Amino acid sequence: MFRIIFMFITCFFRLPVWIPRLYHRSNPKYKDSFPREKRYGYIHSIISTVIKRGRVIVHLEGAEKLPKYNPEDENSTGYILFPNHQGLFDTLSLIKNLDEPFSPLSKKELETTFMLKNVLALMDVEYMDRDDVRQSLKVIQTVSKRVKAGDNFVIFPEGTRSREENNLLEFKAGAFKAATMAHAPIIPVALVDSFIPFDIRSIKKTTVYTYILDPLYYDDYKDLKTAEIAEIVKTRIEKKIAEHLAVIPSQADKFKKKSK
């Protein structure tokens, strides 16, 4: 929370420009007049400024592994990112790191959150009501159709933030249904120390690490059940996090010692 307040203060002078533009460009009456790439680019520029002002460095590796959609190839699709979920900063990190537009699959509760709803609208979010099985199935089908048509998505397979720092919760098999239905590449993403910016009481400079891992293509998983896919993705992410921490220990302990 300390850093969120710090970000708000350091970006305060920009809010009179950002807020009206966010509302205008996310308004259904005008949104379609802005190409998807331009809308995402605007969000990307805002988030990049907020992160910089918030004294967070975002390190990325593996972006070259992301598949490219080819509209002339009938078998080509968009891809779905499957990161571990450490906290509120996760999506900001992905936006800052990735120049190519993607849409989030988000819980319905965020649909009314001040300003965030406008940011998500510009990213063509799909909302899921986790208490409504029928609605959830329709959303999965919608995501699948969009991915088939070339859109990229991010889905957090843990379903909720871990709150266990760099440790993972179980991955839900259902999170992978949209990818299997679309025959789309599944992209494991390992986030390290992404919980620090917003969960630790400090505004000292910190680094969040994002690793794009080797994709699972349809031929790699077509004979697997979604539970087996979930376990493979989880194992790969856990392995990468462990490899990272063996070389670069988590900054969390350093921040906690300083706060005592």
Side-chain angles (χ1 to χ4, degrees), residues 1-259:
M1 181 60 73
F2 277 25
R3 199 178 303 267
I4 293 176
I5 296 171
F6 180 72
M7 287 175 169
F8 179 85
I9 293 172
T10 56
C11 295
F12 183 78
F13 69 100
R14 294 177 180 263
L15 295 180
V17 176
W18 286 348
I19 293 177
R21 289 182 178 176
L22 278 174
Y23 272 84
H24 175 71
R25 298 184 184 195
S26 62
N27 189 316
K29 293 182 180 179
Y30 310 111
K31 193 176 82 168
D32 289 343
S33 64
F34 298 97
R36 187 168 189 247
E37 290 74 15
K38 188 172 183 178
R39 285 187 272 120
Y40 181 80
Y42 183 61
I43 296 300
H44 184 276
S45 67
I46 290 177
I47 297 302
S48 297
T49 300
V50 169
I51 288 177
K52 183 178 180 180
R53 295 278 180 179
R55 309 189 71 201
V56 182
I57 299 168
V58 182
H59 177 83
L60 172 69
E61 288 187 20
E64 72 281 355
K65 297 177 181 179
L66 294 173
K68 297 296 183 183
Y69 173 65
N70 180 6
E72 297 181 0
D73 181 356
E74 62 179 14
N75 294 318
S76 183
T77 70
Y79 56 77
I80 302 181
L81 303 164
F82 289 95
N84 54 308
H85 198 5
Q86 296 194 342
L88 299 174
F89 192 80
D90 298 348
T91 302
L92 301 188
S93 175
L94 292 171
I95 295 172
K96 172 65 173 69
N97 278 322
L98 302 179
D99 296 327
E100 191 174 22
F102 69 87
S103 298
L105 177 62
S106 299
K107 58 184 180 181
K108 191 173 178 62
E109 291 84 345
L110 299 181
E111 197 171 11
T112 57
T113 304
F114 174 68
M115 279 188 65
L116 180 58
K117 64 181 180 181
N118 303 97
V119 171
L120 294 175
L122 286 178
M123 296 178 69
D124 297 322
V125 63
E126 294 290 345
Y127 288 109
M128 176 178 285
D129 184 349
R130 292 176 292 187
D131 296 326
D132 187 333
V133 176
R134 182 173 297 181
Q135 189 269 356
S136 297
L137 179 58
K138 288 183 179 179
V139 171
I140 290 171
Q141 292 171 338
T142 298
V143 171
S144 175
K145 289 177 182 178
R146 287 182 55 186
V147 172
K148 277 186 177 180
D151 286 356
N152 305 316
F153 266 84
V154 59
I155 297 175
F156 293 100
E158 289 164 287
T160 187
R161 51 190 288 192
S162 168
R163 299 186 185 275
E164 296 291 335
E165 299 189 352
N166 287 307
N167 297 308
L168 277 60
L169 301 176
E170 290 302 314
F171 280 18
K172 299 182 183 299
F176 296 87
K177 287 188 179 297
T180 58
M181 290 170 64
H183 297 182
I186 291 171
I187 317 294
V189 181
L191 298 175
V192 183
D193 283 354
S194 188
F195 62 93
I196 290 178
F198 293 162
D199 287 1
I200 290 184
R201 296 161 61 106
S202 173
I203 58 171
K204 292 185 180 294
K205 186 174 289 186
T206 187
T207 302
V208 171
Y209 297 87
T210 304
Y211 295 99
I212 308 295
L213 307 183
D214 291 334
L216 278 171
Y217 291 98
Y218 179 63
D219 284 344
D220 298 322
Y221 67 76
K222 64 182 180 181
D223 296 323
L224 301 177
K225 296 179 180 178
T226 51
E228 294 173 311
I229 297 171
E231 188 59 31
I232 290 172
V233 173
K234 180 174 182 283
T235 299
R236 289 189 180 185
I237 294 174
E238 285 181 322
K239 180 181 178 182
K240 185 61 185 180
I241 292 174
E243 290 174 350
H244 171 97
L245 295 176
V247 178
I248 307 174
S250 174
Q251 302 159 85
D253 292 338
K254 176 182 68 174
F255 282 110
K256 289 172 184 176
K257 288 178 182 178
K258 289 183 177 181
S259 65

